[in-house]
Amino acid sequence: MEIVLSCLLSLIVTAVAGKLLIPLLVSLKAGQSIKEIGPTWHMTKQGTPTMGGLMFIIGIGVAVLVLGWKRMLLGDLTHLYVYVFALVFGVIGYVDDYQKVKHHQNTGLTALQKFLLQVAAAVAFLCLMRYEGMLSPNLYLPFFQTSIVLNWIVYLVFAAFVIVGTVNAVNITDGVDGLASSVTAPVAAFFAILGYVWSGYEQIGIFAGAMLGGILGFLIYNHYPARVFMGDTGSLFLGGAVAALAFAYDMPLVLVLVGIVYICETMSDIIQVLYFKATHGKRIFKMAPLHHHFEMCGWKETKVVAVFTAVSALFCLLAYLGVMDRFSI
């Protein structure tokens, strides 16, 4: 029940925050600068307010504090660790967005600056979770009900790579109105359901429920045609949240399934660049990342979002089937 209430509270707070935040962003002239290398019709989005991710960051924060308060008094701070970790990535994104808005161009922090900040945040989070006894250096394998035991240092390096990769993959997915938020909604629902059915994970479920509510509240303003973009503030926060949830449940490999859309988006970018360089100018996709390829094939933004979200939901269901028996013994 607390998970459902967390979702509803986050949705309401996010929706109200949006009513207040969007006019403020407009008055501050915090408009998005659109890359010239993107689809030409995206140039009409120039000036749409960005940093809208602040509204669901606020909504989620309020929900996890209110609904998780009782267990916090008993010493269970798991959901706060996840929220603060995601918030750190949101701050990194906010700094990047602020630089873009300030200089009126689509370049913020350098790639190296982002990478170093993200790695530092990932290592700090992993060490904290390990210290608190919430994380083991074992890779749980969905469907097989077994784990691969790793040396902690090896696991730490692997885990940091997974977190940074996940965060940036969600960021890459944020390229069409409502896409990143819609694709992430089934992922949040998946983790919320686990918090409900697995004893001892209620706090994490409260965060995941709040995350789902925040996304739904944000989609009121972000669905096509978007009145506001989440910006790196929102996409890096969501990426951090997705990664943190997987590690809070101590099963990072589930990201291969629930994050299938993020992976495909990222791989399309990587494949396009490598093939372009290897063939001196030829392309596999009409445009990368993948959502732009389908746009160039004539798909409307709404169709891209609908299909990608359906794929995300399908693989989240598959992931649930793969982990549902984890604690059955």
Side-chain angles (χ1 to χ4, degrees):
M1 187 61 180
E2 289 174 330
I3 294 174
V4 174
L5 291 175
S6 177
C7 179
L8 292 175
L9 179 59
S10 180
L11 192 160
I12 294 170
V13 173
T14 300
V16 173
K19 284 284 188 181
L20 303 174
L21 181 63
I22 293 177
L24 177 61
L25 292 174
V26 171
S27 66
L28 294 175
K29 298 182 180 179
Q32 176 72 46
S33 296
I34 305 299
K35 290 183 179 180
E36 295 181 359
I37 60 174
T40 55
W41 54 89
H42 278 212
M43 295 307 294
T44 60
K45 303 174 187 285
Q46 187 88 14
T48 301
T50 187
M51 294 189 282
L54 289 170
M55 68 178 73
F56 59 70
I57 291 176
I58 294 170
I60 294 169
V62 170
V64 297
L65 286 175
V66 173
L67 274 303
W69 187 255
K70 286 194 299 184
R71 290 189 177 88
M72 285 169 58
L73 294 178
L74 298 175
D76 188 350
L77 304 177
T78 313
H79 67 314
L80 282 185
Y81 294 149
V82 174
Y83 178 73
V84 171
F85 174 71
L87 186 61
V88 169
F89 278 89
V91 170
I92 294 172
Y94 176 81
V95 172
D96 196 35
D97 282 335
Y98 178 77
Q99 291 295 322
K100 294 175 184 176
V101 170
K102 181 180 179 181
H103 299 293
H104 300 287
Q105 57 187 21
N106 203 30
T107 54
L109 295 174
T110 66
L112 180 60
Q113 288 172 331
K114 286 185 191 177
F115 177 75
L116 292 177
L117 288 170
Q118 291 173 2
V119 169
V123 171
F125 173 73
L126 292 165
C127 289
L128 174 63
M129 296 294 282
R130 175 68 169 160
Y131 176 78
E132 293 287 345
M134 302 173 187
L135 185 66
S136 66
N138 306 326
L139 290 178
Y140 171 75
L141 300 176
F143 296 105
F144 296 97
Q145 310 308 323
T146 187
S147 298
I148 300 173
V149 181
L150 297 178
N151 171 275
W152 168 242
I153 299 301
V154 174
Y155 181 90
L156 183 64
V157 173
F158 164 80
F161 172 79
V162 169
I163 288 175
V164 173
T166 300
V167 171
N168 287 285
V170 175
N171 181 248
I172 288 173
T173 305
D174 183 32
V176 170
D177 293 1
L179 181 59
S181 42
S182 295
V183 165
T184 305
V187 181
F190 164 78
F191 286 120
I193 291 170
L194 293 186
Y196 175 76
V197 299
W198 287 353
S199 177
Y201 290 95
E202 293 83 3
Q203 288 289 71
I204 307 176
I206 286 173
F207 174 86
M211 181 177 167
L212 175 59
I215 290 171
L216 295 178
F218 178 68
L219 276 170
I220 295 173
Y221 309 102
N222 185 237
H223 70 81
Y224 180 85
R227 293 168 54 189
V228 66
F229 298 141
M230 68 172 67
D232 284 0
T233 304
S235 62
L236 294 189
F237 176 90
L238 289 183
V242 169
L245 283 167
F247 281 94
Y249 280 109
D250 202 11
M251 51 179 194
L253 291 183
V254 79
L255 288 169
V256 175
L257 294 171
V258 301
I260 188 65
V261 172
Y262 311 139
I263 292 171
C264 290
E265 291 273 51
T266 303
M267 290 306 300
S268 69
D269 235 5
I270 294 173
I271 291 170
Q272 184 86 323
V273 171
L274 293 177
Y275 188 77
F276 184 86
K277 291 182 178 179
T279 59
H280 305 290
K282 294 183 179 180
R283 293 175 171 84
I284 291 181
F285 303 102
K286 292 185 177 181
M287 185 177 289
L290 195 58
H291 55 262
H292 286 328
H293 169 77
F294 285 109
E295 281 191 280
M296 298 296 286
C297 290
W299 286 25
K300 294 182 178 180
E301 290 188 44
T302 49
K303 182 177 179 179
V304 173
V305 172
V307 172
F308 280 37
T309 302
V311 171
S312 177
L314 178 63
F315 273 81
C316 284
L317 175 60
L318 183 63
Y320 181 76
L321 296 176
V323 304
M324 61 185 293
D325 295 327
R326 184 179 185 185
F327 298 117
S328 60
I329 299 177

